[in-house]
Amino acid sequence: MRAPLRLRALANAVNLSTATGLLLAGLSRTPLEPGPDGLILGTHYRPKLPKAGAFTVGNVIFYRADRAFINSRPDLLAHESGHATQYAWCMGLPFLPLYAVCAAFSLWRTGDPGSRNFFERNAGLELGGYRELPTIARLPALRNYLQRFTLFKSPLPNNPAKDRNHS
């Protein structure tokens, strides 16, 4: 195994994200087997959440499918491997709330949690089965909505006659 991958495995062991993945596998009764590059593959993940066909916790990659599916989709494995590296960058479990914020931003901007999500884009959108979607112009709609309130309306033009009467 190359040095950067050994470092990733060590970082995810120290930051307890891989331990969390192993705990999740145990609680969900997900069978585990060694994978490439220091990854651990969980197959036949059954709980309903998350809804994704594959997801990563530390160096543990969970699939709803079997090993034959994993072997047939090296692109998806590469994508999930990218998420394992992101756990190391984020020092472990802080990855989860950071990912949630990015997914919410993407959902707001495109209607899809992955399309504009920094983490999905960094791991390779297409590798993970995501599509790049156009953004939705929400700011003009929000501005128009806020302008209905007097506080946000443009000021009225000055009335010089009125100003002279009050002097």
Side-chain angles (χ1 to χ4, degrees):
M1 188 168 39
R2 294 186 340 244
L5 300 174
R6 278 196 305 274
L7 183 59
R8 174 183 71 187
L10 177 63
N12 284 339
V14 170
N15 67 35
L16 301 178
S17 59
T18 296
T20 303
L22 295 171
L23 177 63
L24 176 60
L27 292 172
S28 63
R29 297 183 179 159
T30 301
L32 297 173
E33 55 187 89
D37 301 328
L39 298 170
I40 302 164
L41 307 178
T43 57
H44 302 288
Y45 178 80
R46 297 290 173 233
K48 292 182 182 188
L49 293 176
K51 291 188 176 200
F55 68 96
T56 303
V57 181
N59 267 32
V60 183
I61 301 176
F62 292 85
Y63 290 90
R64 295 189 179 281
D66 59 11
R67 185 64 189 252
F69 172 82
I70 297 168
N71 293 341
S72 73
R73 293 286 312 275
D75 50 345
L76 182 57
L77 179 60
H79 175 85
E80 295 301 327
S81 176
H83 287 314
T85 301
Q86 292 166 353
Y87 271 93
W89 290 347
C90 293
M91 294 181 277
L93 297 178
F95 170 84
L96 296 172
L98 292 170
Y99 182 93
V101 167
C102 289
F105 172 79
S106 179
L107 190 61
W108 185 69
R109 293 296 290 141
T110 67
D112 176 72
S115 186
R116 289 288 190 262
N117 182 324
F118 166 81
F119 293 102
E120 295 300 347
R121 294 173 76 80
N122 180 266
L125 277 181
E126 289 182 15
L127 295 174
Y130 293 96
R131 296 177 298 134
E132 184 157 343
L133 300 174
T135 58
I136 299 168
R138 295 195 191 275
L139 291 179
L142 180 61
R143 185 181 60 245
N144 291 341
Y145 174 78
L146 292 175
Q147 284 179 343
R148 292 182 196 166
F149 300 100
T150 28
L151 241 147
F152 295 103
K153 285 188 178 175
S154 300
L156 295 174
N158 289 338
N159 185 343
K162 187 178 177 183
D163 289 341
R164 271 183 275 153
N165 292 338
H166 291 290
S167 302

